[in-house]
Amino acid sequence: MMSGQRRAQLSNAFYAQSETEVLTELETNLNGLNSEQVKKRTEEYGSNKLDDGKKKSIVQKFLEQFKDLMILVLLAAAIISAVVSHDVVDSVIILAVVVINAILGVFQESRAEAAIDALKKMSTPHANVLRDGDTITIKSTELVPGDIVLLEAGDVVPADLRLMESNSLKIEESALTGESVPVEKMITILDDQQAGIGDRVNMAFSNSNVTYGRGKGVVVNTGMSTEVGKIAGMLAKADETTTPLKQNLNHLGKFLTIAIVIIAVVMYVVGTFFNGMDPINMMLTSISLAVAAIPEGLPAIVTIILALGTQVMARRNAVIRKLPAVETLGSTDIIASDKTGTLTLNQMTVEKVYTFNQQQSAKKELSTDSMILKVMNFANDTKISPDGSMIGDPTETALITFGQNQGFKLDEELNEYPRVEELPFDSDRKLMSTVHKLPDKFLVAVKGAPDILLNRISQIQTENGIRDITEDDKKAILFNNQDMAKQALRVLAMAYKYIDDIPEDINSNNLENNLVFAGLVGMIEPERDEAADAVRVAKEAGVRPLMITGDHRDTAEAIAVRLGIIEAGNDEAVLTGAELDQMSTDEFNRKVKDYSVYARVSPEHKVRIVKAWQKLGKVVAMTGDGVNDAPALKQADIGIGMGITGTEVSKGASDMVLADDNFATIVVAVEEGRKVFSNIQKAIQYLLAANLGEVLTLFIATLLAWDTMLPIHLLWINLVTDTFPAIALGMEPAESNLMNHKPRGRNSNFFSGGVLSSVIYQGIFEAAMVLMVYATAIIWPVHSGYDAIHADALTMSFATLGLIQLFHAFNVKSVHQSIFKVGLFKNKAFNWAILLSLIMMMAVILIPGLNDAFRVSHLDSHQWLIVLASSFAVIPFVEVVKLLQRKLNRE
């Protein structure tokens, strides 16, 4: 075993050593480590991952809950109250409520952290390594020094490597060096022992991106010992940036804090100096109101709702890499999707055949002696594994599959007529030819692009035999070629000829001419069964789907029509990459709304498409799977990487990764994003309406010199009603009409869509009902004597304020829909949250001992009837307002 000390001395100089020296130093070889070595080194060096930084302990999290200024003021007030007025019971209860609030805060923070940690684990990249001489794929966290790693374009370098092989290898290292141009890598030894990172061309550094070529290297450093690990050590908490979502919440919190503090100060001044109330009690009431009214738990609640959303999405194959992306998904206006593999199945299938001057379905049986069958199977490089699986180009495997379905025995045919020569496919001539030995001659089988191959054909195969080809024959072939292309089929032509001898110099001119036309084969990459329905749902939701493909214009248009992205005959909605290149930025920005399909485009065009839509204020989701897609994915509001076909670079640049590469999953994620935003709005509406009710109740009561509530009452209501129901509202199922609305837009906020007006009128109603109950208890008392009357009034207003908030939680299940349509009890978590809050609320009133501590009295059935009726009244009241709103909106 190599010594840790020796490695530490040489760890910065591997680039100055020869291959042999490096392998010797690391006690490894080019066949890789064995299992025993891996086990020992894992124990010695640990996992290949960056430290998450020093995590806060439960105690630290708990103590941090008391850093809030208002909490500290409240604690001070409780101490002053105990010392000045000798009211120890009030102080103990206040302290208990504050401690319980702190415990809940720790619970919320820990749950949010756990959800985010789970997301980080889901996005761990993999590495291809040599171990015991075999190539295997492992999680990058399992790498150890001495491992031999294989690199190819699209990979993220999993650890610091000393390169041993470099085949046109280029690596983008901007994260370390700031240089955006990829570095061309070499394996030469560097003479400079002090070479900087950017000059170490024979090294590959962890977290950099392979953009081109292939390579092989030995792991020299892992985890925090890598160059990126050293940076992470200096910036241990660099990931803890404030997202736009949290910034909005913080701004909202600051605004509410200032407003409520001003109201609390005014209350204290009016109550103490104008209405002659006890200064200590008034101070406690004012501070309690401020603490209760400020929704300090809102950011944590929002984080939990977002985290719950990511878990739902992960179960539905959409892995969210960045938490705020959940909320952004809900506002998506444009989904720009690759065709291949996302809208389609990424596999070719023969659909039409044209032979003997007749176009027919692929389901129709052909003779096994048919030359079109023989040519498509002979001029084919597909390899068939013993288990029957095929390895090769999707187009060629589709032809072999078609032959098998037609009963063509390829193995037997090749045994009888073996391949002896070939001319491989060439992108310039667009043809492929193979030569097969027959008993007395040779068969030349040729397949390729119809327009190219047609120029090399002199004869045609018919039902009556072979004859010279005519102009009418050629017109019929071109017509059927175009007809198939319009049906989104990829068309290949098949031809052949017999020769007596193989030319000494095999080339296209002497082999691929004077051919006999056998027929055309039309293949398609079938669209996913669920794609067309997902496109329909997206359109109904006001989300515009765009299709981006490298296919020809006709093929792209036909697929888009079949999917419902554009209507038949609307070829003006299709734009090619060449046409896009001819447009200026200003012209394209003006016309971008006209196009829904982009054909023959490169990844570079995607950035222009994203920017043009963003210029119009639209929120754009863009898919990508290649290295070159990364800029577009970063530019998009939601970058969507492909989990199956995507490169590590494209996944790393994405906000979301599709585990199944399926367009329908994007639409599902948009729906979930809308649900998450809607549920955040519900939590905010619920909390702020309740808080507004509390503020107005105490403010108006103070102006009227009414003593409606004690500080402990406010704090207990805040504890009971704010936490559990608000979190449970974040788990509400999606409303049935959620995808019938247009996207809310880039500039919308949590108060849009009628939430702000709802908060105001519902908060006013809650305050009005509580004050009315208090007044009723005073004007029509059940008991005699001031103390008894006041105790009843206090208890009734306390019970009403708590219960009306719990009843109101049902109202906010939907901003506009009737709760009877949404479903009262669909959300089990909500049901339990309301029940738990109700038990806690009633316990302090009904349980002997607790009611004395909370200064509340026993109420008779008549008084409870007033409390329950007044609390429940919020439901029919809000239902009527919603009904009027719906009628006005329809008109």
Side-chain angles (χ1 to χ4, degrees), residues 683-708:
I684 289 175
Q685 180 185 342
Y686 170 70
L687 289 172
L688 296 189
N691 291 0
L692 179 61
E694 293 170 7
V695 169
L696 290 176
T697 297
L698 266 78
F699 186 71
I700 294 171
T702 302
L703 295 178
L704 298 174
W706 291 359
D707 189 8
T708 55

Side-chain angles (χ1 to χ4, degrees), residues 397-692:
T397 58
L399 296 174
I400 297 295
T401 301
F402 176 70
Q404 289 178 340
N405 294 339
Q406 290 285 340
F408 188 83
K409 308 290 185 184
L410 180 59
D411 289 343
E412 294 177 11
E413 293 283 338
L414 286 176
N415 285 334
E416 189 172 354
Y417 310 116
R419 182 189 297 191
V420 290
E421 288 292 349
E422 65 181 54
L423 267 179
F425 176 81
D426 183 281
S427 58
D428 291 329
R429 73 180 210 287
K430 297 182 179 177
L431 299 172
M432 174 190 178
S433 300
T434 58
V435 182
H436 299 263
K437 186 173 182 351
L438 307 183
D440 56 348
K441 53 190 170 184
F442 297 91
L443 168 68
V444 179
V446 187
K447 79 170 190 294
D451 52 343
I452 301 295
L453 194 56
L454 200 56
N455 294 327
R456 298 167 180 262
I457 287 171
S458 58
Q459 295 180 299
I460 185 170
Q461 182 186 37
T462 69
E463 291 177 325
N464 300 319
I466 297 172
R467 61 170 172 79
D468 290 342
I469 195 166
T470 66
E471 285 301 315
D472 287 341
D473 291 329
K474 289 183 178 181
K475 286 180 181 177
I477 292 169
L478 290 172
F479 173 81
N480 279 276
N481 175 40
Q482 188 175 21
D483 181 57
M484 289 185 190
K486 286 183 177 178
Q487 299 173 57
L489 303 182
R490 182 181 180 186
V491 186
L492 287 176
M494 307 295 158
Y496 67 96
K497 71 175 181 179
Y498 294 101
I499 57 176
D500 295 324
D501 298 297
I502 300 174
E504 289 185 11
D505 179 24
I506 296 179
N507 57 55
S508 180
N509 290 331
N510 59 30
L511 197 67
E512 297 171 336
N513 55 25
N514 296 319
L515 301 171
V516 180
F517 178 77
L520 301 174
V521 177
M523 291 165 285
I524 192 169
E525 183 186 352
E527 62 270 23
R528 290 179 179 269
D529 292 336
E530 63 276 22
D533 189 54
V535 167
R536 178 188 59 77
V537 171
K539 283 187 165 184
E540 288 176 356
V543 180
R544 181 169 177 171
L546 308 179
M547 189 179 83
I548 300 174
T549 179
D551 281 342
H552 289 283
R553 184 190 189 106
D554 289 346
T555 305
E557 181 181 344
I559 287 285
V561 169
R562 289 168 69 145
L563 289 168
I565 292 174
I566 61 174
E567 295 180 2
N570 187 17
D571 57 349
E572 293 180 357
V574 184
L575 186 72
T576 65
E579 291 168 337
L580 178 55
D581 286 333
Q582 298 299 315
M583 288 185 178
S584 67
T585 300
D586 289 340
E587 182 185 4
F588 181 54
N589 288 347
R590 288 196 307 272
K591 294 182 176 180
V592 68
K593 287 184 178 180
D594 299 336
Y595 309 116
S596 294
V597 180
Y598 295 87
R600 305 300 281 176
V601 296
S602 63
E604 289 75 16
H605 290 124
K606 289 186 174 183
V607 177
R608 289 191 67 184
I609 296 168
V610 172
K611 286 183 176 179
W613 279 108
Q614 287 176 332
K615 192 84 173 174
L616 297 175
K618 302 297 183 182
V619 177
V620 183
M622 169 69 77
T623 69
D625 57 4
V627 174
N628 291 337
D629 288 328
L633 294 174
K634 286 186 176 180
Q635 178 67 41
D637 298 282
I638 297 289
I640 302 173
M642 302 292 111
I644 299 172
T645 60
T647 60
E648 292 301 327
V649 174
S650 62
K651 293 176 192 175
S654 302
D655 303 290
M656 179 175 87
V657 176
L658 299 182
D660 57 359
D661 290 11
N662 193 340
F663 178 83
T665 302
I666 305 174
V667 179
V668 166
V670 169
E671 181 178 6
E672 186 64 27
R674 288 190 175 189
K675 186 189 88 172
V676 165
F677 181 83
S678 174
N679 287 351
I680 291 174
Q681 278 192 313
K682 290 169 186 175
I684 289 175
Q685 180 185 342
Y686 170 70
L687 289 172
L688 296 189
N691 291 0
L692 179 61

Side-chain angles (χ1 to χ4, degrees), residues 179-200:
E179 178 58 56
S180 59
V181 179
V183 178
E184 189 168 350
K185 294 295 181 178
M186 293 173 274
I187 59 173
T188 52
I189 303 170
L190 301 181
D191 295 329
D192 185 1
Q193 292 267 347
Q194 304 300 320
I197 291 176
D199 297 322
R200 299 175 194 173

